[in-house]
Amino acid sequence: MLYTQQEVEAHLEKLEGWEFEQGRWIVRKYTFSSFMKGIAFVDEVAAISEAFGHHPYITIDYKTVTLRLTSWDEGGITAVDIKEAQQFNEAYEKSRSNDSRDSAT
């Protein structure tokens, strides 16, 4: 079921770092202290995505990984996008070391 803009915004209040973009996407950028840490995170994102059968757009720019989610067949954001974004956040938190240079925006 497609969420309204108000529903998306309410869910995003509970999802650290995610933003509603262009009325169609939810987006988050993660910054890592090294390229390899970013790539390891992308591997984790890939495993989560396969389990959901729902894949984000992934952009890697050196140490910054940007994830974009939408449900094309529904025409916007659904519960699947929100649940998957939450799992990406959980994977990020698990993958973080004590390296204070890793951050998410």
Side-chain angles (χ1 to χ4, degrees), residues 20-100:
F20 195 34
E21 188 175 272
Q22 300 174 355
R24 181 158 184 93
W25 303 91
I26 57 173
V27 179
R28 184 168 180 184
K29 292 183 180 186
Y30 299 86
T31 302
F32 296 88
S33 60
S34 72
F35 178 73
M36 292 306 295
K37 283 187 178 186
I39 294 301
F41 176 69
V42 169
D43 285 344
E44 186 69 23
V45 165
I48 292 166
S49 299
E50 283 295 302
F52 271 89
H54 186 70
H55 303 87
Y57 284 79
I58 303 170
T59 304
I60 304 167
D61 185 13
Y62 184 41
K63 297 187 290 185
T64 301
V65 175
T66 303
L67 302 179
R68 282 187 165 71
L69 285 164
T70 194
S71 292
W72 286 107
D73 57 339
E74 296 287 332
I77 306 303
T78 67
V80 172
D81 299 296
I82 299 299
K83 289 177 186 174
E84 195 169 5
Q86 183 177 18
Q87 286 201 10
F88 294 155
N89 281 2
E90 291 169 4
Y92 173 73
E93 290 303 321
K94 287 179 186 175
S95 71
R96 287 182 69 180
S97 66
N98 291 330
D99 189 340
S100 63

